Amino acid sequence: MTRASEAGDLGRRMAQLARGFYHPADLDETLRGVTAAAVELVEGADCADVLIVTGRKHFRSLAATSELAEHLDDVQEQFGEGPCLDASFKYLVVRSEDLRTETRWPRFAKAAVDAGVLSALSFQLYLDQESMGALNMFSAKAEAFGPPAEATAEVLAAHAAMAMSAARSRGQFASALATRDIIGQAKGMIMERFGIDAVAAFELLRRLSQDSNVPLAEVAQGIVEAGPERRDDRETGLDSTPV
């Protein structure tokens, strides 16, 4: 792909995201558009998410493109260190070119490398004095994020920040956090029902959403409202195979 065509693709995706602010959608949907665009447009990005930290205690991973991104946020919450936290509270941009030699967050770095991640790039998303956040991208390659990738990610981070600011003024932010919890509940129910891990459960939710053309949050809500599988269904083998 030529530099001109890359610029054209970026311009079109930015225009699509910008139109969302004039025709406001659900915040979770908007942020999923941002993180999907990050994986699509930021060279080297294998997965992305938005981490929100409220009161320096409560961590929420929003619009994750994979279970891996959520896992890396959980690790940072567990150890109290990592690029997303530094971006949320200290710096506008945080980049690690090779987590195998990273000294700033030794425990996080080891866990990330063990999970197959070698590079990280995070941009601060300021909300208010109580809540801070970051747009985060991760890569399986070392030195994955060069200056062009950083420039593209900065534009996407600006869109994410504007979306969250607009959502807060419309009272949608609490709803977006609740949506994340619903998805987590549905994922847990799928894991228990079919005996699969968190990654497979998340991918099954995504596939159900895509195949039915229903937003992921609505699919998750339906699963939670349906409740656990009944015992007589399990005994008779009804509805025992994942879609």
Side-chain angles (χ1 to χ4, degrees), residues 134-181:
L135 171 64
N136 313 298
M137 288 138 283
F138 304 99
S139 177
K141 299 178 181 178
E143 300 181 357
F145 302 113
E150 189 170 319
T152 301
E154 185 174 11
V155 176
L156 292 170
H159 278 277
M162 287 188 292
M164 288 190 291
S165 176
R168 172 148 294 191
S169 67
R170 295 194 299 266
Q172 289 184 356
F173 194 72
S175 176
L177 297 182
T179 295
R180 191 267 188 184
D181 290 341

